[in-house]
Amino acid sequence: ELENQLTNKSKTLDELKQSLTFHDGADQTPEALSLRIPELCEMMDSIVNQVAQVKTSVQSIMEQWRVYDEVYTEVNLKTTSYLYCINQCKPSVLSLEALKHQIKTLQ
């Protein structure tokens, strides 16, 4: 979605550049310029709206990253804790054969 919005802005920018290039050679009378003002205002409003949409999208993405970062930190902490518990709570006997040998020595 963000890429689409950026693509649209790029197209609008290209259109403005072409419009300026086209009109540079055109008649620069006040009447001709006054006819372009509404068109330029409309383009500017469109760009302002697109920027607002991008800001909203970026804010949403940043919020999602913040939540992800919090959850990642919590999961990482719990994983470390579980690994510590597993290492500390290992049984002294690791195999059935070792247990059988220990029983024989106790008998």
Side-chain angles (χ1 to χ4, degrees):
E1 180 183 340
L2 188 59
E3 289 179 21
N4 289 338
Q5 290 175 356
L6 290 175
T7 303
N8 288 338
K9 284 184 196 168
S10 177
K11 287 179 184 178
T12 303
L13 207 66
D14 290 341
E15 289 173 4
L16 281 171
K17 286 179 184 177
Q18 288 175 355
S19 175
L20 288 174
T21 303
F22 175 74
H23 289 294
D24 280 347
D27 187 17
Q28 296 293 324
T29 64
E31 294 83 18
L33 292 175
S34 68
L35 293 175
R36 288 189 50 219
I37 291 174
E39 177 187 344
L40 292 174
C41 287
E42 183 179 325
M43 288 180 177
M44 188 176 78
D45 289 342
S46 173
I47 290 172
V48 167
N49 288 335
Q50 290 175 1
V51 167
Q53 289 174 352
V54 168
K55 282 183 180 179
T56 303
S57 296
V58 168
Q59 287 173 345
S60 173
I61 290 168
M62 291 302 292
E63 177 62 21
Q64 291 172 1
W65 272 108
R66 186 190 63 75
V67 170
Y68 168 81
D69 195 38
E70 288 176 2
V71 170
Y72 176 81
T73 301
E74 184 178 339
V75 168
N76 193 27
L77 182 63
K78 287 186 178 189
T79 302
T80 304
S81 175
Y82 293 146
L83 288 173
Y84 176 78
C85 287
I86 288 170
N87 286 334
Q88 295 301 314
C89 300
K90 279 186 180 175
S92 58
V93 178
L94 298 177
S95 69
L96 182 59
E97 292 301 319
L99 182 58
K100 287 179 182 178
H101 179 69
Q102 191 175 18
I103 290 173
K104 285 182 183 177
T105 51
L106 288 174
Q107 291 175 347

